Amino acid sequence: MSTTLGFIGVGVMGAGMCRNLAQKSGCTVLAADLDMGNVRALAADGVVASSIEEIARRADIVFLSLPAIAQVEAVCTGPGGLLAHAKALHTIVDMSTSDVARTRALAGQLQARGMALVDAPVARSREAAQKGTLLITVGASEAQFAALQPHLACMGSDVLHCGPTGAGQVVKIMNNMVLINTVHALAQACAIAERAGVAKDLLSQALGLGSAASFALQLTGSQYLAKDVFPEKMFSAAYAHKDLQLALALSRNVGLDDGLTECTARQLQQSMDRGYAQNYYPVMYRVISDQGKKP
């Protein structure tokens, strides 16, 4: 394993991932974030507060957990970014959920400068990030995957090689597309059942006993939709909408229409317009259930 690793972005998901990497890899882990208080909170776990410039000089592999491809591009190639200061650095691992075409373009740009970009987006919850039980879908060559797998296994219990650059993003985006569309259907079902005189907690229990049972129902349906609880600092409506835009961009790029996802994206946009952008994304139920009600 590498002796020095970098980690940039220690927010809701990245904090747990970085902690597990530091505790399990046996490597020195340098970390940076816009809020360095997030980094300092990991000091007891062996994470060393650093800067992008220092990480580029000292680490030979850097992991990114950032909001979107725009931030990934800026950290990699922007002024003061990793490429500008790279010394030991030879591999950047993007664990964000990023646009497929732009990921592949960035990989080509970095390759021309002698640096590899591997996409390794993560799925599952913040709790999974903390426990090191994420699903990680990887786009890389066979050799790159073999070299990175021990590090990725510190953060995920399921590390899947999906194909070459961009393939990890394709699989992650499709995972989120299916999940968010499923939750949209559950939110719609809850609203309809309530209007028809059946409580949504009973509906959730019944669906779990039948052929509509799913992980989305077990977690999101039973624990959040059925209770009408949609906290902030979870997978927000804004992030869910961003991921569906990635799915729609991918569908356009391959020449397929996706009316189902377009419908869910519109519902999320309405939720954001109602002031729910930072709430857990199943909050779209509230907008659906308010249809036709008098102000």
Side-chain angles (χ1 to χ4, degrees):
M1 283 194 178
S2 170
T3 55
T4 305
L5 305 174
F7 203 105
I8 300 173
V10 290
V12 172
M13 296 295 284
M17 294 158 61
C18 185
R19 177 183 294 111
N20 279 301
L21 188 64
Q23 290 179 337
K24 300 175 185 178
S25 68
C27 302
T28 298
V29 176
L30 311 177
D33 190 90
L34 286 175
D35 183 352
M36 290 302 291
N38 292 341
V39 180
R40 290 189 287 273
L42 300 174
D45 302 296
V47 176
V48 180
S50 188
S51 65
I52 291 176
E53 181 177 347
E54 184 180 11
I55 288 171
R57 288 201 312 263
R58 293 181 53 192
D60 53 0
I61 301 172
V62 175
F63 299 86
L64 309 180
S65 180
L66 300 171
I69 187 63
Q71 288 80 14
V72 172
E73 291 168 337
V75 166
C76 289
T77 63
L82 293 170
L83 192 58
H85 298 288
K87 298 293 184 186
L89 180 60
H90 58 75
T91 301
I92 299 171
V93 184
D94 179 19
M95 306 192 76
S96 323
T97 302
S98 296
D99 178 270
V100 176
R102 288 170 70 175
T103 292
R104 288 172 172 161
L106 179 60
Q109 184 179 356
L110 292 173
Q111 185 178 24
R113 301 286 297 273
M115 192 176 299
L117 177 71
V118 167
D119 51 298
V122 302
R124 298 178 183 153
S125 64
R126 175 172 56 179
E127 182 182 6
Q130 293 169 344
K131 292 183 176 180
T133 56
L134 292 165
L135 165 64
I136 305 176
T137 55
V138 185
S141 69
E142 293 283 355
Q144 289 169 334
F145 179 76
L148 291 170
Q149 197 277 338
H151 298 309
L152 296 173
C154 296
M155 297 175 276
S157 54
D158 296 282
V159 182
L160 180 65
H161 187 204
C162 300
T165 304
Q169 296 293 357
V170 171
V171 174
K172 169 61 192 297
I173 291 167
M174 292 299 97
N175 175 83
N176 282 19
M177 183 188 79
V178 172
L179 172 63
I180 297 166
N181 282 332
T182 300
V183 171
H184 183 196
L186 289 172
Q188 192 78 44
C190 285
I192 293 170
E194 282 193 310
R195 288 282 185 98
V198 174
K200 60 182 179 296
D201 56 346
L202 187 145
L203 175 69
S204 179
Q205 179 184 3
L207 292 176
L209 296 172
S211 55
S214 67
F215 174 81
L217 173 65
Q218 180 184 2
L219 176 65
T220 306
S222 298
Q223 297 185 31
Y224 297 95
L225 276 169
K227 298 176 181 179
D228 196 15
V229 173
F230 310 106
E232 295 186 1
K233 297 186 178 180
M234 292 188 67
F235 187 42
S236 69
Y239 272 114
H241 186 265
K242 183 267 291 185
D243 283 1
L244 291 193
Q245 294 305 313
L246 295 177
L248 290 168
L250 182 58
S251 69
R252 289 191 295 269
N253 287 343
V254 299
L256 291 174
D257 293 330
D258 187 0
L260 177 62
T261 300
E262 288 175 349
C263 179
T264 302
R266 285 195 300 271
Q267 191 65 67
L268 283 166
Q269 183 63 60
Q270 290 177 25
S271 301
M272 294 161 63
D273 293 343
R274 283 276 301 275
Y276 294 128
Q278 300 309 314
N279 292 89
Y280 188 33
Y281 76 92
V283 74
M284 63 182 119
Y285 154 79
R286 290 183 179 170
V287 179
I288 295 169
S289 64
D290 283 347
Q291 292 178 28
K293 291 183 179 179
K294 294 181 178 180

